Amino acid sequence: MNSKERIAKALSVASDTRVFEMGEGFVSKVPEVFASLFPGRMPLVVADINTWRVAGQKVYQLLLEAGFETGVFIIPDREFHAEWKYVMMVEEALKASGTVAVALGSGVINDLCKLSSSHLGQSYVCVPTAASVDGYSSFGASIAYEGVKQTFDCPAPVAIVADVSVIAAAPKEMTAAGYADLAAKIPAGGEWMIADAFGTEPIIPEAWHVLQDVLSDLLADPEGVSAGEPSAIASLFEGLTLSGFAMQAARSSRPASCTDHLFSHYLDMTHHTYRGKLQSHGFQVAIGTLTMCAFFDEFCKLDLSTLDVDALVKAWPTLEQEQKRALALFEDFVDPKLGYDVITKKYQGPEDVRRELEYYKAHWAELRDAYRAQVYPFSKMKRLFEIVGAPSDPSHIGVTRSQLKAMVPKTQLMRWRINLLDLALRAGIYDRLVEAVFGPGGAWDLSKEVKDN
Ligand SMILES: [Zn+2]
């Protein structure tokens, strides 16, 4: 299947997005796409100071030339983040002019347009300026509300018009971040396979295949991505867009994220900065992704066919014990009840745990082979990140290995979804895995702390 066929197939599983056009010089397509989807409506180009210069002005001119009475809204601040006040600003601008947004920018501008448009009961056209995140085509917007980043439910854009020339010219570190966000789908897929084996979140075939069947191909040219070659950038952007379509098909982010992303959520929630700057979503996710690849490496070295299921079930804690553990673990965290709420939702009793462990014990060889086939070894993922210029060590985002180690038990309890760490706790191998990853000779050997330079 070529890219065109893949996209056509992918659009058939996407519930919100109907048009996805991608190619060099494609900003020229914005007026006809807008006209076909919003007959009789007028566009409002929403940009920031930078993206206005990069492509916004051009799109504005094209829309004017096509006869649209076009408005412009530029975020007034040079430094801004996905915050509620900007959603309100965009919403006011759209409401006052009765227009439809043409989102000209990266993930933040897109999320602002996504949520404000949804508040007004309308859709919008997305014109991405960087292959930096998978959020363009995803269901939901990630916005900080009263200082806490949250994902608000809202439909993906009805149309995405991706100009590869514009996207390829984005700052290299934005592209590297997008590459890492796409690579995260590798271990995230492995963890979805675990939830599927447990039966808690069965794999949804159309959401799985649209992305996972082509994911390795779309990650296969890190040199091209690093060099900003249009064909490599197009593959990367296609992968990010397919991730969003998979999320639309599943109506959840399960196809695109698991524990890999929870390290990033932790850093967001604790307002982590490095050299005075918040670190991009993709850069944070890079470290979570590498960490989960390392965990899978160590996990696949073990033999679960010899589990003593009776003893493990006997040792399995009660819900009350787990709630107590969660409260202690999150005691000093910004949201002290988070772990408690999560474990209350995802706790399973001894009979479920017995069934899951017996399944793993009986099918270990095939399950292990399937995880090995899905999840890249740590060494391979690290090499890919080095080539594209994404972080390949936690020090690159200002996190020490011991800080990373301290996050691990929290990530197990930050989302109700079943993950590899849940399985490790059931199988009595959790401490061994942590020791293997952070101990002598491990991927994040604590005694070999790296200094960033
Ligand atoms: Zn992501």
Side-chain angles (χ1 to χ4, degrees):
M1 244 194 293
N2 63 30
S3 167
K4 251 201 155 75
E5 289 162 345
R6 278 199 301 268
I7 288 167
K9 192 167 161 240
L11 279 168
S12 71
V13 304
S15 48
D16 304 324
T17 307
R18 302 213 312 263
V19 174
F20 175 36
E21 296 272 8
M22 179 173 70
E24 290 182 61
F26 266 36
V27 286
S28 64
K29 298 214 176 225
V30 173
E32 66 180 80
V33 168
F34 190 90
S36 70
L37 294 167
F38 299 101
R41 299 291 303 274
M42 290 299 150
L44 180 75
V45 175
V46 180
D48 60 42
I49 294 167
N50 188 39
T51 61
W52 171 252
R53 188 179 49 75
V54 167
Q57 197 161 13
K58 175 90 190 280
V59 168
Y60 173 71
Q61 285 299 339
L62 288 164
L63 286 163
L64 283 182
E65 283 161 23
F68 291 101
E69 198 183 297
T70 309
V72 175
F73 180 79
I74 298 176
I75 303 285
D77 303 330
R78 203 160 273 282
E79 281 270 330
F80 69 101
H81 298 285
E83 287 170 35
W84 188 258
K85 67 171 181 179
Y86 297 111
V87 176
M88 289 295 110
M89 278 185 204
V90 175
E91 191 174 323
E92 279 307 311
L94 289 167
K95 208 155 116 188
S97 54
T99 48
V100 170
V102 175
L104 232 302
S106 61
V108 176
I109 289 281
N110 183 62
D111 274 356
L112 300 177
C113 290
K114 199 189 284 185
L115 188 54
S116 57
S117 298
S118 146
H119 287 163
L120 297 170
Q122 62 188 37
S123 192
Y124 68 103
V125 176
C126 165
V127 185
T129 53
S132 50
V133 283
D134 65 17
Y136 295 110
S137 54
S138 71
F139 169 83
S142 181
I143 304 282
Y145 182 72
E146 290 177 351
V148 182
K149 205 137 184 211
Q150 305 178 31
T151 302
F152 291 87
D153 277 357
C154 50
V158 66
I160 299 169
V161 183
D163 188 327
V164 174
S165 331
V166 171
I167 293 172
K172 207 180 150 179
E173 60 175 42
M174 293 185 86
T175 311
Y179 185 90
D181 200 19
L182 183 59
K185 287 42 168 167
I186 294 280
E191 293 195 275
W192 196 6
M193 288 159 70
I194 293 172
D196 183 66
F198 277 31
T200 54
E201 290 165 276
I203 283 176
I204 300 164
E206 61 269 33
W208 175 271
H209 292 295
V210 70
L211 174 65
Q212 293 290 345
D213 289 0
V214 293
L215 183 52
S216 276
D217 286 346
L218 298 175
L219 288 167
D221 188 8
E223 289 88 0
V225 169
S226 168
E229 278 168 21
S231 65
I233 300 293
S235 290
L236 169 59
F237 193 78
E238 181 186 333
L240 293 169
T241 306
L242 296 182
S243 305
F245 291 171
M247 289 187 260
Q248 289 184 34
R251 275 298 196 229
S252 111
S253 59
R254 178 88 230 192
S257 74
C258 198
T259 313
D260 40 77
H261 270 62
L262 296 177
F263 289 93
S264 170
H265 290 310
Y266 178 94
L267 295 170
D268 282 339
M269 290 180 82
T270 54
H271 305 286
H272 172 75
T273 57
Y274 179 45
R275 294 178 170 153
K277 286 181 84 170
L278 293 168
Q279 298 297 292
S280 68
H281 172 73
F283 272 26
Q284 295 180 156
V285 165
I287 297 309
T289 298
L290 287 169
T291 304
M292 292 320 292
C293 287
F295 268 98
F296 268 104
D297 279 353
E298 300 301 338
F299 174 61
C300 289
K301 285 182 199 163
L302 301 179
D303 183 2
L304 270 61
S305 71
T306 59
L307 291 178
D308 184 346
V309 175
D310 284 335
L312 289 164
V313 170
K314 208 169 160 214
W316 185 243
T318 62
L319 173 60
E320 292 68 31
Q321 286 171 322
E322 281 291 83
Q323 288 169 328
K324 237 175 121 179
R325 177 173 76 92
L327 285 173
L329 190 59
F330 283 81
E331 196 182 355
D332 300 318
F333 193 60
V334 278
D335 182 357
K337 267 204 79 202
L338 178 60
Y340 177 94
D341 291 341
V342 166
I343 198 60
T344 303
K345 189 161 179 200
K346 82 167 162 182
Y347 179 80
Q348 292 182 308
E351 282 324 300
D352 282 324
V353 169
R354 175 182 295 281
R355 177 180 47 78
E356 290 153 3
L357 291 177
E358 271 167 2
Y359 182 80
Y360 269 84
K361 183 176 169 138
H363 299 92
W364 175 239
E366 59 185 275
L367 288 165
R368 181 202 55 209
D369 290 350
Y371 299 133
R372 279 201 174 132
Q374 168 68 27
V375 184
Y376 296 177
F378 171 84
S379 55
K380 173 176 174 177
M381 194 63 97
K382 185 166 186 267
R383 182 80 196 113
L384 294 172
F385 286 178
E386 283 165 358
I387 296 169
V388 295
S392 57
D393 188 274
S395 62
H396 299 160
I397 57 166
V399 172
T400 65
R401 292 181 178 195
S402 34
Q403 285 168 336
L404 189 65
K405 186 183 178 189
M407 289 177 210
V408 172
K410 291 197 181 73
T411 60
Q412 186 250 329
L413 290 171
M414 283 177 71
R415 206 186 265 165
W416 59 269
R417 288 181 180 146
I418 291 296
N419 56 49
L420 173 59
L421 303 173
D422 288 312
L423 171 56
L425 285 170
R426 282 158 174 72
I429 54 171
Y430 180 92
D431 291 338
R432 263 167 81 187
L433 288 184
V434 173
E435 179 58 21
V437 172
F438 292 93
W444 301 139
D445 184 340
L446 291 184
S447 70
K448 298 200 175 122
E449 196 76 68
V450 173
K451 268 219 168 349
D452 191 29
N453 41 41

